[in-house]
Every structure is written in C-alpha cells, then in structure tokens.
Amino acid sequence: MRYDSARSMIFQAYHEQRGSVMAYAAEIARMGAQVQTTERNNNDWRIVSGLEAGMVISAVERQSQHLQALARYCFGPFTRDELAEDREWLHAALMQVAMTMRLPGQGQSEYPPAEAVNQLRWIVSAAIHHHAEATYPYNRPGLHNPRRIAAWIEEEHGEEVDVGRWSRSGRACWGGVWERLLDTLDRWESQVLAPVAALIVKAA
C-alpha cells in the first residue's frame, strides 16, 4: 500500500479487505504476528499488501466503537447502506456529548425541553455529515451556514428545524452547540488517526 496519509491508509485497507487475501491477512494482524519481513523476502507483494492492510484495520478496530465508526464513515470505501450501523454508533456517541451542553430554550432548568432534544438529534446528524464532507481529503464545502444545515435536514430527514436564532450573545444557541459538535468530531478524528499514522513510520 502507499503510505501517504493515515486517512488514505484506512481507505486502502478496507478496500483491500474486499479481496480474498484479506480474510487471512486481517486475522494474522489481529493475532499480532510479525509478518512484513518474511513476506517481503518471498517477494509475494500481494500478500504483503494484504497483511499491511490488516495491520491498519487492526489499529482502527482496537479503538472504541465510536472511533472505529468515525474512521469507516469518513474514510472507508463503503456505501451508505454499509455505513448505517457505524452512523448509528457515531450519532449515539455524539448525542451523549451534546446532552452535557445547555441547549437553547433550557434556561435554568436541569433538563432541556423535549423540542430542543428533538432538534438536537437532527443537528447532530447534520454535524456528522458535514464533518465527513469537509474533512481532508474530500475538502467539500459541507454545510457551511445555518440555512444549508436546515435545508439538508429537511431533505435528508423530512424535518424542519428552527435556525432563526443561530447565534445569540450571552445565551445558549445552536451555533454554539454546532461548533462544539464539530470540535468533538475533530478531536475524535485525531484520536483514531494517531495509531494508524504510527504505521507509516514502521513501513518506511
């Protein structure tokens, strides 16, 4: 495999897994076998590629479930249907984080109103979509303003969300929640990529 970035390594590894070699390679990698040198000496580059892919997948799948889900969702070569379970894991984990924030309309109450929690669900979904679109190597515009966020939620989920007061000085607002969601996703991305990036050095 070409070791140019941790993100592309994840894509290539899971793409390689679709081949017949990977069933064997991933199992060896999970067992912690040291295989690269032996296989290179045999010049069996197809096997080596599969074994290297197995090491990358192992580095991803040793992590927490929501971090695995983020890696596959953002960087894997999967279809929308194949990503359904990962999307659910990621959404649930991000909702847990979001529910520690004060939401618009909550005021001094201990718990946010049901309407705010319902809107939060769709905004969390939009944040995950935006992160996957805007992150490297895709660098797409994503959902770059409140109107686009609301339009995506309506198109994707058939739900209307109120983004009329996205920013409110000194008070809880959806803009503040959105930024914290994206910060959390950035932090999780760094966590999941770190052990994968370490493999670049080993392969050099």
Side-chain angles (χ1 to χ4, degrees), residues 65-66 69 84-99 120-121 124-125 128 181 188:
Q65 190 69 47
H66 68 286
E85 184 176 349
D86 284 328
R87 190 163 49 246
E88 289 178 9
W89 271 103
L90 191 51
H91 189 275
L94 199 55
M95 277 293 293
Q96 284 189 329
V97 172
M99 287 299 291
L120 176 64
R121 290 190 181 96
V124 164
S125 181
I128 293 169
L181 292 175
W188 288 353

Side-chain angles (χ1 to χ4, degrees), residues 104 115 119 123 146 150 159-166 174:
E115 182 181 349
Q119 179 155 328
I123 289 178
E159 297 286 339
E160 291 187 13
V161 297
D162 179 14
V163 294
R165 295 181 176 178
W166 190 255
W174 288 117

Side-chain angles (χ1 to χ4, degrees), residues 33-103:
Q34 301 298 317
V35 296
Q36 286 190 7
T37 300
T38 301
E39 298 300 337
R40 285 185 192 278
N41 289 340
N42 291 334
N43 290 321
D44 192 342
W45 295 108
R46 186 173 179 222
I47 295 294
V48 169
S49 180
L51 294 170
E52 290 173 347
M55 293 173 65
V56 172
I57 292 172
S58 179
V60 171
E61 296 185 354
R62 283 196 302 264
Q63 301 189 60
S64 301
Q65 190 69 47
H66 68 286
L67 297 181
Q68 297 180 39
L70 178 66
R72 289 187 292 262
Y73 189 85
C74 290
F75 312 118
F78 302 110
T79 66
R80 180 186 177 91
D81 288 343
E82 290 172 323
L83 289 169
E85 184 176 349
D86 284 328
R87 190 163 49 246
E88 289 178 9
W89 271 103
L90 191 51
H91 189 275
L94 199 55
M95 277 293 293
Q96 284 189 329
V97 172
M99 287 299 291
T100 66
M101 309 175 195
R102 295 200 73 79
L103 302 183

